[in-house]
Amino acid sequence: MNILVTNDDGIRSRGLRELVKVLSEVGNVSVVAPDQERSGTGHAVTMHRPLRAIEITGIPGAVQAFQLDGTPADCVKLGVEVLLEQRPQLVVSGVNAGPNLGTDVLYSGTVSAAVEGLIMGVPAIAVSIADHSEEWLGLDKAVEVAARTAQAIGEKGLPEDTLLNINLPRLPAEEMKGIKITRVGIRRYRDFVEKRKDPWGRPYFWLTGEAVDMDEGPDSDTKAVKDGWISITPVRFRLTHEEFLEELASWNLD
Ligand code: MN
């Protein structure tokens, strides 16, 4: 199996390096990843300036690797279309430092790279750990689950428009409760803008905030990870609100 690995934390990220090492036991791993941190860029693509890809060596386990001065979605587009010698059969994005749960999947560069895989017709996995710290708590378990999931997709396939979003709790591997199949929860942010002053007294703003989970249903991804489970959510992007179509037509807007 040809696997394309990418991320949104940049090509130097430890999460990506560990993932490549372990996935190289499952298939031929190539890497196309951003040359710098690109977290929170969602599904942005670069259209108003050129993109430069530099082939690099020194990523153990990778048969080919490129750093790109673009977004995670750019990396998958170029990886699938032009950069790699062989078309990937699977895109794996991560391992991200920090969770991608609930509504955050829409902001996430990690998940958006996987979505780009789907758009290009390649099955995809996104993997994240709920640890932003230097400890990378859960990383070993994350790459193990990613490898097992990749193998299963190789054998069974995935529905055409579906990716798997995997999140691990911030716990040592032996304290995790196991795998729970979940739904996407609803996560909002409280106090999400800090207003500060620069040295000249002019205001500036910094996006931040405390996550507030609105949907505490027993099978939501947000709750599962909070409770110490490894969450795997099948995510797809059919965005039409089917049930509302008829009522909206009855508004007679023409
Ligand atoms: Mn990230």
Side-chain angles (χ1 to χ4, degrees):
M1 179 163 42
N2 298 321
I3 304 172
L4 166 57
V5 169
T6 190
N7 74 352
D8 74 356
D9 296 335
I11 197 153
R12 287 171 201 81
S13 161
R14 185 171 150 199
L16 177 132
R17 305 277 170 138
E18 293 297 321
L19 183 62
V20 170
K21 234 182 276 173
V22 172
L23 285 178
S24 67
E25 290 159 28
V26 179
N28 294 319
V29 180
S30 302
V31 176
V32 183
D35 60 356
Q36 55 179 285
E37 164 84 46
R38 291 293 197 152
S39 294
T41 52
H43 209 100
V45 289
T46 305
M47 295 166 66
H48 299 289
R49 64 169 176 83
L51 287 165
R52 308 262 179 198
I54 300 173
E55 186 156 15
I56 61 165
T57 54
I59 299 187
V63 294
Q64 230 188 340
F66 295 89
Q67 65 175 55
L68 185 72
D69 60 348
T71 64
D74 291 331
C75 290
V76 174
K77 259 185 206 305
L78 267 71
V80 173
E81 280 292 305
V82 293
L83 292 174
L84 302 180
E85 276 150 26
Q86 279 162 325
R87 185 181 166 86
Q89 288 138 331
L90 180 68
V91 170
V92 186
S93 178
V95 172
N96 187 61
N100 281 303
L101 296 164
T103 319
D104 280 349
V105 299
L106 295 172
Y107 300 114
S108 167
T110 306
V111 178
S112 291
V115 173
E116 189 58 37
L118 298 189
I119 293 171
M120 309 284 293
V122 184
I125 307 172
V127 196
S128 309
I129 54 175
D131 186 9
H132 292 101
S133 78
E134 294 290 306
E135 273 181 277
W136 288 89
L137 210 53
L139 181 59
D140 289 351
K141 190 73 183 174
V143 295
E144 180 196 317
V145 173
R148 220 182 307 140
T149 308
Q151 212 147 16
I153 292 173
E155 287 159 20
K156 301 170 206 286
L158 272 179
E160 215 171 58
D161 58 351
T162 304
L163 66 90
L164 298 182
N165 185 32
I166 305 176
N167 281 272
L168 289 90
R170 189 179 185 283
L171 288 173
E174 62 277 8
E175 286 174 36
M176 294 182 194
K177 287 186 178 158
I179 289 174
K180 195 168 236 184
I181 305 303
T182 56
R183 293 186 154 84
V184 182
I186 301 170
R187 175 164 276 188
R188 302 256 162 79
Y189 286 87
R190 191 173 27 219
D191 305 325
F192 63 90
V193 185
E194 265 192 46
K195 186 176 173 184
R196 300 180 181 176
K197 280 204 171 125
D198 74 11
W200 295 272
R202 294 171 305 204
Y204 68 93
F205 302 91
W206 203 302
L207 287 186
T208 167
E210 182 195 342
V212 185
D213 297 327
M214 321 291 281
D215 168 15
E216 285 288 302
D219 59 352
S220 69
D221 57 355
T222 43
K223 176 157 172 56
V225 169
K226 209 182 290 169
D227 290 348
W229 294 90
I230 299 165
S231 162
I232 305 186
T233 315
V235 175
R236 68 177 179 192
F237 289 87
R238 266 184 218 174
L239 297 176
T240 309
H241 192 314
E242 298 290 336
E243 296 79 11
F244 187 57
L245 283 172
E246 220 170 297
E247 190 187 329
L248 183 58
S250 78
W251 287 14
N252 293 318
L253 292 169
D254 57 355

